[in-house]
């Protein structure tokens, strides 16, 4: 807020942030801000016209991303960011339209819209921040919560397997599908920049920690422990979205 | 003068279009008022299709037709279902090859035409509905020849315009001849039918 | 006011049904974009739009469900276009959340509901007026919108234009409450010259970026609008928000925002009292009705007048906001107000409230599937006249 001008060091990505909205609502150790940082660098690096760029979010912790970006920002209803973005893009094809939201929002309640936007190859970039939990409402299971995980609504461990998003979106016909983690900030930035310049339905999943509601409840340590896990899992799957192995990265650090 | 009309047959016969043409003739080519409604069955082809048309020189207030003054039937099912609803002294127009008239109420004025056969003679069975419109126009006088013909021209694809005009004329002529003859061949059939049922 | 674009106006005399007339009304009103999902008996509107829109540079998109359609259209509006969606009962229920979003974000748009018998799947091909309260109160939270009800295909054209104009003027979602009977009824529809169709233009931002506040109320409490891609960095949220559009969730902001959103409508009560009255002066009994039911009531009125009864008709064209003042003035002058509706008694609750016990209020309920028998309305008139 008003503290920003007093800092000696300026935030290097502040030109794409709404400074008057900072600080964010996100918890310490949360990965959403990390993805926003990569996204901000990607936006600045690609040189796309920011005046012609709109960002649409649904509801949830990641749903707040749109409100922190100095773009045309739309914070819509739960699960429906993609159809709003579809309308926005159709009615003004000049716009670069980015949907930035969470896993519960985009894939659980909004799963049908994700499927159909990919199927019709809507010219949208969808960034799905996957923290594997409904965080804003206090840690309930989502379609992305790995099997056997603890959440407030699965107190005996979730007995449903999770959905594998890159496989799903790929099967629906997306032209660009990627998955990174909150550890891979540089790779993520490059992938985002690449995706921003492409046309058609592009999907990037970013696996992020939710130390407050997922890691802690599943005995997975703090944010730093999550980073170590992401780093180790990468060694097997260097620079490759592991489309075939489902949720290898996530299963690895699941040790309840 | 308010006239309530029902046109009924099976889906695919162009029942709705014939009501549309007639209504259009009254509303657009005469200074009248016409309101058309239709019954929707789940089937797109086959099944029952029926349209109701209210024509008047005053704005039409009540859109539905419960007891028509004029009933046009193009199928046996439509005949069976709707004939009992026709007003006392009402008019019944029948596609004679497709309908076998049983238990015909005595009070009706009945006129029949082999519309499908005429349409086939013209080369396209599809125009039977327009033959029927011509017949309707001729027998009932509810709408003028010119208005009706103009409405036919509005509603058919250019490539089938001549065919449809011919179909309309044949239907109209058939009606005129029937009126000149002044006989109702159905009357005999009717009494025969009654006799048969009495036996 | 501006005028309609002649390229989009099908000037002339037509014999078309209410659904088709509604589509032509939307095109005349400047809607080039629509999102929808097929549902009987409303589908004809979007089928026609899908065919007509591309010829004038527009787009119809068939979304995956009504939730998607009802928010895609708002994306279209925030991209600077006029847009609408069309549905019927079950789809209307799915759209409720986004009617609330449109109210909260003051998104000018039109929701067309071709009402059919309900609840649930009900009577897909038969009429009812059972969604009238849903149109007013269906979405959660408190909001105030406008609902128009046509009673002829001609009005399906005329009032669709009005619906878009009111949406732009007040920046609210406008409910266009047709019914299956009017939607599927074919009659003469006269579409005037484009130059005779007045349109209320979008209230565009009059200040440059930096000075402009997206939700700063104007003198009539309605804010101006900036769209995505215009350099304003708009921030639009369904959360309670301040004049910048930023979330500000406290009781004070809530009071300020919601009160204003109500007041922008209530202040215009006179403009929004859109009724047609006939023979109301000196009548003992006045039928208050809307849509197809008002039309059927006219026949009952003819029958009653033949019997020597003094009966008038007050046809509500704009049902919400309810013409409260008019009813308060009318009630003491008559013996009874009779309200036939194709529902089990919805708007009559409001009528009764506004009549305030000054006269009898007689409901003539009907579960839908067809229209009232004039005789049933006549019977209520006779009861009222006693």
């Amino acid at each position: 807020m008003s503290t920003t001008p007093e800092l000696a060091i300026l935030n290097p990505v502040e030109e794409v942030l709404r400074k008057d909205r900072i600080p964010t609502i996100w918890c310490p150790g949360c990965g959403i801000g990390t993805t926003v940082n990569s996204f901000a660098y990607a936006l600045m690096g690609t040189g796309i016209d920011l005046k012609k760029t709109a960002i649409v979010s649904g509801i949830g912790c990641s749903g707040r991303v749109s409100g922190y970006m100095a773009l045309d920002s739309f914070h819509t209803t739960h699960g429906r960011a993609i159809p709003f973005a579809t309308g926005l893009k159709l009615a003004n094809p000049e716009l670069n339209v980015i949907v930035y939201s969470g896993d519960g929002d985009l894939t659980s309640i909004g799963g049908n819209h994700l499927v159909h936007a990919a199927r019709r190859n809507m010219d949208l970039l969808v960034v799905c921040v996957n923290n594997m939990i409904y965080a804003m409402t206090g840690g309930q299971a989502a379609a992305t919560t790995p099997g056997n995980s603890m959440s407030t609504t699965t107190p005996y461990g979730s007995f449903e397997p999770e959905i594998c998003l890159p496989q799903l979106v790929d099967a629906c016909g997306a032209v660009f599908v990627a998955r990174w983690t909150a550890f891979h900030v540089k790779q993520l930035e490059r992938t985002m920049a690449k995706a921003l310049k492409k046309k058609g339905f592009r999907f990037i999943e970013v696996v992020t920690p939710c130390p407050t509601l997922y890691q802690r409840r599943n005995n997975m340590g703090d944010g730093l422990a999550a980073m170590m896990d992401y780093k180790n899992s990468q060694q097997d799957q260097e620079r490759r979205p592991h489309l075939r192995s489902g949720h290898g990265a996530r299963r690895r650090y699941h040790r309840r | 003068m308010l006239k309530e009309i029902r046109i009924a047959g099976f889906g695919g016969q162009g029942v709705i279009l014939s009501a549309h043409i007639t209504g259009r003739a009254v509303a657009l080519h005469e200074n009248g008022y016409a309101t058309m409604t239709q019954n929707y069955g789940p089937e797109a082809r086959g099944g029952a299709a029926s349209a109701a048309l209210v024509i008047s020189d005053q704005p039409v207030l009540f859109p539905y037709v419960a007891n028509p003054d004029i009933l046009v039937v193009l199928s046996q099912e439509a005949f069976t279902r709707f004939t009992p609803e026709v007003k006392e002294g009402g008019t019944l127009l029948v596609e004679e090859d497709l309908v076998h008239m049983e238990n015909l109420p005595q009070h009706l004025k009945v006129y029949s035409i082999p519309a499908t056969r005429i349409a086939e003679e013209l080369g396209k069975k599809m125009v039977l509905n327009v033959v029927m419109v011509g017949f309707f126009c001729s027998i009932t006088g509810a709408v003028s020849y010119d208005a009706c013909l103009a409405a036919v021209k509005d509603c058919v694809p250019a490539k089938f315009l001549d065919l449809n005009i011919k179909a309309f004329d044949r239907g109209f002529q058939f009606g005129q001849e029937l009126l000149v003859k002044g006989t109702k061949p159905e009357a005999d059939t009717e009494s025969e039918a009654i006799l048969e049922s009495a036996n | 006011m501006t005028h309609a674009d002649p390229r989009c106006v099908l000037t002339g005399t037509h014999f078309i049904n209410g659904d088709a007339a509604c589509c032509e009304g939307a095109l005349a009103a400047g809607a080039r974009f629509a999102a929808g999902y097929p549902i009987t008996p409303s589908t004809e509107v979007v089928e026609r739009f899908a065919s007509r829109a591309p010829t004038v540079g527009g787009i119809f998109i068939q979304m995956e469900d009504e939730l998607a359609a009802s928010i895609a259209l708002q994306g279209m509006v925030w991209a600077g276009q006029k847009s609408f969606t069309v549905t019927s009962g079950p789809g209307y229920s799915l759209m409720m959340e986004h009617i609330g979003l449109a109210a909260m974000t003051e998104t000018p748009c039109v929701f067309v509901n071709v009402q059919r018998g309900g609840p649930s799947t009900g009577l897909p091909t038969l009429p009812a007026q059972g969604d009238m309260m849903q149109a007013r109160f269906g979405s959660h939270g408190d909001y105030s919108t406008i609902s128009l009800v046509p009673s002829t295909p001609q009005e399906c054209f005329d009032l669709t234009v009005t619906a878009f104009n009111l949406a732009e003027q007040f920046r609210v979602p406008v409910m266009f409450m047709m019914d299956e009977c009017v939607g599927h009824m074919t009659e003469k529809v006269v579409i005037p010259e484009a130059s005779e169709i007045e349109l209320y233009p979008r209230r565009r931002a009059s200040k440059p970026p930096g000075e402009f506040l997206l939700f700063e109320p104007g003198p009539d409490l309605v804010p101006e609008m900036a769209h995505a891609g215009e350099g304003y960095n708009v921030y639009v949220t369904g959360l309670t928000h301040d004049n910048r559009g930023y979330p500000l969730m406290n009781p004070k902001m809530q009071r300020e925002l919601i009160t204003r959103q109500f007041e922008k409508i209530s202040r215009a009560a006179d403009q929004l009292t859109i009724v047609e009255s006939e023979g109301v002066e000196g009548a003992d009994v006045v039928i208050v009705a809307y849509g197809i039911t008002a039309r059927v009531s006219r026949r009952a009125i003819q029958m009653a007048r033949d019997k020597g009864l003094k009966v008038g008709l007050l046809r509500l064209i704009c049902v919400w906001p309810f013409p409260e003042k008019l009813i308060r003035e009318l009630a003491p002058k008559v013996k009874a107000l009779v309200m036939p509706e194709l529902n089990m008694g919805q708007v009559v609750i409001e009528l009764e409230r506004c009549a305030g016990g000054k006269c009898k209020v007689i409901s003539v309920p009907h579960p839908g599937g067809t229209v009232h028998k004039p005789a049933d309305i006549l019977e209520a008139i006779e009861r009222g006249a006693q």
Side-chain angles (χ1 to χ4, degrees):
Chain A
M1 289 214 183
S2 60
T3 52
T4 315
E6 294 159 24
L7 291 173
I9 307 164
L10 291 175
N11 186 332
V13 293
E14 72 169 29
E15 76 169 271
V16 292
L17 296 179
R18 290 181 192 267
K19 282 171 288 176
D20 48 2
R21 296 284 302 151
I22 309 293
T24 69
I25 61 159
W26 300 313
C27 306
C30 173
I32 301 171
T34 314
T35 72
V36 171
N37 204 33
S38 298
F39 179 61
Y41 276 109
L43 274 180
M44 288 161 56
T46 49
I48 60 169
D49 185 355
L50 298 180
K51 283 198 168 68
K52 296 282 179 199
T53 305
I55 181 165
V56 186
S57 292
I59 298 297
C61 292
S62 308
R64 294 304 186 90
V65 169
S66 63
Y68 297 122
M69 306 306 297
L71 304 168
D72 286 313
S73 312
F74 296 95
H75 181 221
T76 63
T77 54
H78 195 20
R80 321 299 169 195
I82 288 178
F84 185 96
T86 299
L88 201 61
K89 178 71 195 182
L90 281 180
N92 185 355
E94 278 186 15
L95 294 172
N96 307 301
V97 182
I98 297 134
V99 172
Y100 211 114
S101 211
D103 51 312
D105 186 77
L106 285 170
T107 77
S108 298
I109 185 169
N112 197 30
H113 309 308
L114 179 68
V115 164
H116 289 283
R119 173 184 66 81
R120 56 171 73 100
N121 199 16
M122 265 315 295
D123 190 13
L124 303 173
L125 166 59
V126 177
V127 179
C128 176
V129 181
N130 183 358
N131 56 14
M132 291 169 263
I133 202 84
Y134 282 108
M136 184 165 266
T137 47
Q140 296 77 25
T144 42
T145 303
N148 294 326
S149 304
M150 302 296 277
S151 76
T152 60
T153 49
T154 55
Y156 305 105
S158 75
F159 37 79
E160 297 169 10
E162 72 283 9
I163 195 167
C164 176
L165 299 178
Q167 281 180 332
L168 170 74
V169 178
D170 182 45
C172 294
V175 298
F176 183 96
V177 181
R179 179 198 271 166
W180 288 108
T181 76
F183 173 75
H184 301 93
V185 288
K186 277 297 169 195
Q187 295 92 325
L188 178 60
E189 179 199 325
R190 281 199 293 272
T191 298
M192 283 174 157
K194 199 170 159 192
L196 278 169
K197 289 190 229 158
K198 277 186 86 72
K199 278 212 161 291
F201 190 83
R202 297 142 283 160
F203 182 80
I204 302 172
E205 178 188 5
V206 195
V207 178
T208 64
C210 178
T212 314
L213 295 161
Y214 186 75
Q215 315 290 117
R216 184 172 59 81
R217 219 170 247 134
N218 285 284
N219 201 18
M220 290 160 65
D222 57 9
L224 185 62
M227 290 300 129
M228 290 306 290
D229 274 331
Y230 295 157
K231 181 173 182 251
N232 295 336
S233 74
Q234 183 214 347
Q235 284 166 357
D236 306 334
Q237 313 266 348
E238 190 73 39
R239 295 181 184 198
R240 245 174 354 112
H242 24 90
L243 287 173
R244 271 173 304 141
S245 58
H247 279 188
R250 282 176 250 171
R251 288 215 172 91
R252 193 180 307 276
Y253 51 81
H254 171 72
R255 42 170 189 260
R256 177 162 56 86
Chain B
M1 250 285 281
L2 184 99
K3 273 207 169 58
E4 297 179 312
I5 302 153
R6 178 173 295 286
I7 307 178
F10 43 79
Q13 281 181 318
V15 163
I16 309 295
L17 182 63
S18 60
H20 183 101
I21 292 171
T22 313
R24 189 184 183 90
V26 174
L28 267 51
H29 299 290
E30 289 182 342
N31 290 323
Y33 294 87
T35 298
M36 187 191 96
T37 54
Q38 51 193 297
N39 289 354
Y40 289 84
E43 311 90 346
R45 290 288 178 272
S50 113
L53 183 66
V54 185
I55 58 177
S56 176
D57 49 4
Q58 301 285 317
V60 176
L61 303 180
F62 193 82
Y64 294 134
V65 171
N67 301 111
D69 299 290
I70 305 166
L71 173 66
V72 182
V73 288
L74 299 167
S75 75
Q76 190 65 38
E77 191 191 338
F79 173 83
T80 311
R81 180 166 163 209
F82 293 113
T83 305
E85 294 176 357
V86 183
K87 266 186 203 138
E88 189 72 28
T91 305
L92 177 66
L93 306 188
V94 182
E95 197 327 330
E96 66 182 35
D97 291 346
L98 298 178
V99 178
H100 176 62
M101 287 183 280
E102 290 172 330
N103 304 325
L104 193 67
Q106 295 264 12
H107 62 84
L108 297 182
K109 296 191 280 283
V110 184
Y111 302 89
S112 61
I113 177 172
T116 313
R117 227 188 305 153
I118 292 173
E120 277 167 354
E121 281 167 26
L122 289 168
K124 214 163 179 62
K125 192 173 138 188
M126 264 176 67
V127 295
L128 86 109
N129 59 341
V130 177
V131 174
M132 217 61 199
V133 170
F135 186 59
F136 174 93
C137 174
S138 168
I139 296 287
T140 66
V143 50
S144 74
Y145 174 90
D146 290 344
C148 231
L149 184 62
V152 169
K153 289 177 183 170
D154 290 345
C155 293
V156 299
K159 145 167 118 162
F160 295 119
L161 184 60
D162 288 343
L163 176 67
N164 278 283
I165 292 172
K166 267 186 217 149
F168 176 75
D169 274 335
R170 283 289 300 274
F172 191 85
Q173 285 305 327
F174 193 93
Q176 291 296 303
E177 284 160 22
L178 204 60
L179 288 175
V180 169
K181 268 192 241 163
T183 53
K184 288 189 282 173
E186 294 75 32
D188 301 334
T189 335
E190 179 197 338
S191 43
E192 274 168 29
I194 289 165
L195 279 176
E196 274 169 28
S197 61
N199 295 337
Chain C
M1 299 293 263
T2 58
H3 294 288
D5 178 350
R7 288 181 309 139
C8 307
V9 181
L10 208 62
T11 302
T13 308
H14 307 273
F15 193 61
I16 52 178
N17 69 17
D19 281 357
C22 171
C23 170
E24 292 304 329
L27 284 161
R32 301 284 170 279
F33 290 80
Y37 185 82
I39 185 167
T40 306
S42 73
T43 315
E44 288 92 330
V45 184
V46 289
E47 283 174 342
R48 190 178 176 105
F49 194 84
S51 153
R52 293 264 287 130
T55 66
V56 292
I59 289 177
F60 166 71
I61 184 166
Q62 182 174 321
M63 297 298 288
E64 50 274 12
D65 57 29
E66 282 90 348
L67 278 154
S70 57
I71 194 164
L73 86 94
Q74 298 184 45
M76 293 162 171
V77 173
W78 282 99
Q81 295 290 343
K82 285 188 183 179
S83 177
F84 71 117
T85 190
V86 184
T87 191
S88 186
Y92 198 53
S93 290
L94 291 184
M95 289 184 178
M96 281 302 135
E97 179 170 19
H98 294 139
I99 288 171
L101 178 74
M104 188 55 137
T105 57
E106 304 183 56
T107 303
C109 54
V110 175
F111 287 80
V112 179
N113 178 359
V114 186
Q115 296 174 86
R116 66 192 222 186
S120 191
T121 314
L123 300 167
T125 60
L126 296 170
Q129 296 176 317
D131 308 344
M132 294 309 297
M133 278 297 182
Q134 192 182 22
R136 173 64 190 83
F137 292 111
S139 193
H140 57 274
D142 264 347
Y143 61 99
S144 183
T145 62
I146 297 167
S147 297
L148 303 182
V149 189
S151 67
T152 60
Q154 178 68 50
E155 277 193 342
C156 289
F157 176 85
D158 298 340
L159 293 179
T160 300
V161 176
T162 308
F164 275 95
N165 283 346
L166 293 174
E168 294 297 334
Q169 183 183 350
F170 293 99
R171 278 191 63 181
V172 287
V174 173
M175 308 300 136
F176 194 59
M177 304 299 284
M178 294 167 59
D179 63 74
E180 188 276 338
C181 185
V182 170
H184 278 165
M185 174 198 292
T186 304
E187 284 190 337
K188 179 162 95 172
V189 173
V190 181
I191 299 181
E193 296 283 340
S195 58
E196 291 165 30
I197 301 172
E198 290 204 325
L199 301 183
Y200 199 101
R202 177 74 35 98
R203 292 166 173 260
R204 285 183 179 271
S206 57
K207 292 179 186 164
E211 292 172 38
F212 176 70
L213 296 176
L214 190 58
F215 290 94
E216 186 176 41
D220 55 359
L221 303 183
V222 183
E224 292 174 343
M225 199 164 172
H227 304 113
E230 293 177 350
Y232 283 87
N233 283 359
V234 298
Y235 187 168
V236 180
T237 174
L239 290 167
T240 298
H241 47 268
D242 63 18
N243 286 355
R244 296 171 298 179
Y246 287 8
L248 184 56
M249 288 162 282
N250 63 43
K252 183 172 171 289
M253 193 62 240
Q254 172 77 355
R255 175 176 291 277
E256 198 179 304
L257 179 67
I258 304 306
T259 310
R260 174 177 68 74
Q261 290 186 351
F262 267 76
E263 271 187 28
K264 70 179 178 181
I265 302 287
S266 62
R267 273 197 195 178
D270 287 342
Q271 186 199 334
L272 293 172
T273 299
I274 309 174
V275 297
E276 181 196 355
S277 61
E278 190 254 317
V280 169
E281 273 313 305
D284 289 330
V285 177
V286 171
I287 298 208
V288 184
Y290 51 89
I292 188 65
T293 309
R295 193 170 151 154
V296 174
S297 299
R298 283 180 200 271
R299 188 178 263 193
I301 290 171
Q302 284 176 348
M303 290 155 76
R305 284 178 184 163
D306 288 345
K307 291 190 169 195
L309 298 173
K310 285 190 276 179
V311 192
L313 174 68
L314 183 69
R315 180 164 75 89
L316 308 182
I317 295 170
C318 179
V319 172
W320 307 117
F322 192 76
E324 183 163 348
K325 195 173 141 207
L326 194 66
I327 299 298
R328 287 198 192 287
E329 287 166 4
L330 179 62
K333 298 181 194 160
V334 297
K335 285 187 190 168
L337 296 173
V338 173
M339 184 165 237
E341 299 177 84
L342 288 183
N343 57 52
M344 299 310 284
Q346 294 189 5
V347 181
V348 73
I349 298 168
E350 191 69 357
L351 183 69
E352 202 152 33
R353 181 181 74 79
C354 296
K358 298 279 167 44
C359 67
K360 281 188 277 190
V361 173
I362 301 173
S363 171
V364 191
H366 189 302
T370 181
V371 294
H372 286 79
K373 286 197 190 98
D376 294 343
I377 303 173
L378 177 65
E379 188 271 330
I381 295 171
E382 285 172 334
R383 248 191 304 148
Q386 280 165 14

